[in-house]
Amino acid sequence: MIMLGLLTPQTRNIKVFIKAFKQTNMHRCSSISGPSEYIRRFILENTEIVGEQSLTPEFKLRLFTPNCRFWSEKPELWPFDDPYWAIYWPGGQALSRYLLDNPAVCRGKTVLDLGSGCGASAIAAKLCGAAHVVANDIDTVAAIATHINCELNGLEPPVCLTNNMIGSPPKRFDLILLGDMFYDEALATSLHSWLDHCINNHGTKVLIGDPGRAQFEEHCIRRLLRQLAQFELPESVREENYGLTCSSVWCYRPELLRT
């Protein structure tokens, strides 16, 4: 499990892996090399359809599994950027589970799935009756994976944007979803500032899914949050995430600063 194990943010080796991966990819363009049909075929050939072992058996996703070549392949053989879209991370699982259990949160709303990865939270929002869903991920391969996963579940794909929305002038969304985005302190700080602008300008509601990573628990944003739900992770998810046992959903409430 070389590639998946080193990619997982819970492992001590993540910084070493990312450094090695970026050195491997330093001569590759960050944009996709090759037509989207090639990337689509590559995803179909190097992932498997899974779903029953997650917190959201209502829908299926194409992901890395132990049967896939790149579960244990050398990172330097991977042709694209880091494949975060190929894993259904525990924060995203909790967030999607929460939406499915509380469909009124999304129904009729405009929703942004920020750092959308495989598109799971965008799919959950669509299943809950969201009026308009945007999936944003800076990896173009993730956008294609999201299209594939929506089609797999009989859904029209969301609007997929690959620009970095963090720090840009905030657009009007009723709800912003963030799963597993607080894995890096600098990113967490940028998110904190940008989300403040979204809330102050548009009254946007923000939901965060996270399994309790140190970068999240120790960040100042943590004291602005109220826990909405906690879910026990399935055994297979625990094994893939180095023993994490649960994942939670939080409501971002900056007004708590004034209490």
Side-chain angles (χ1 to χ4, degrees), residues 4 29 40 48 56 120 127 138 144 164 190 204 242 251 255:
L4 179 63
C29 295
R40 181 184 182 88
E48 283 194 329
T56 56
L127 290 173
I138 59 174
I144 296 174
N164 186 358
S190 296
T204 304
Y242 294 84
C251 180
E255 70 271 17

Side-chain angles (χ1 to χ4, degrees), residues 121-132:
S121 294
I123 289 172
K126 278 185 159 289
L127 290 173
C128 292
H132 182 65

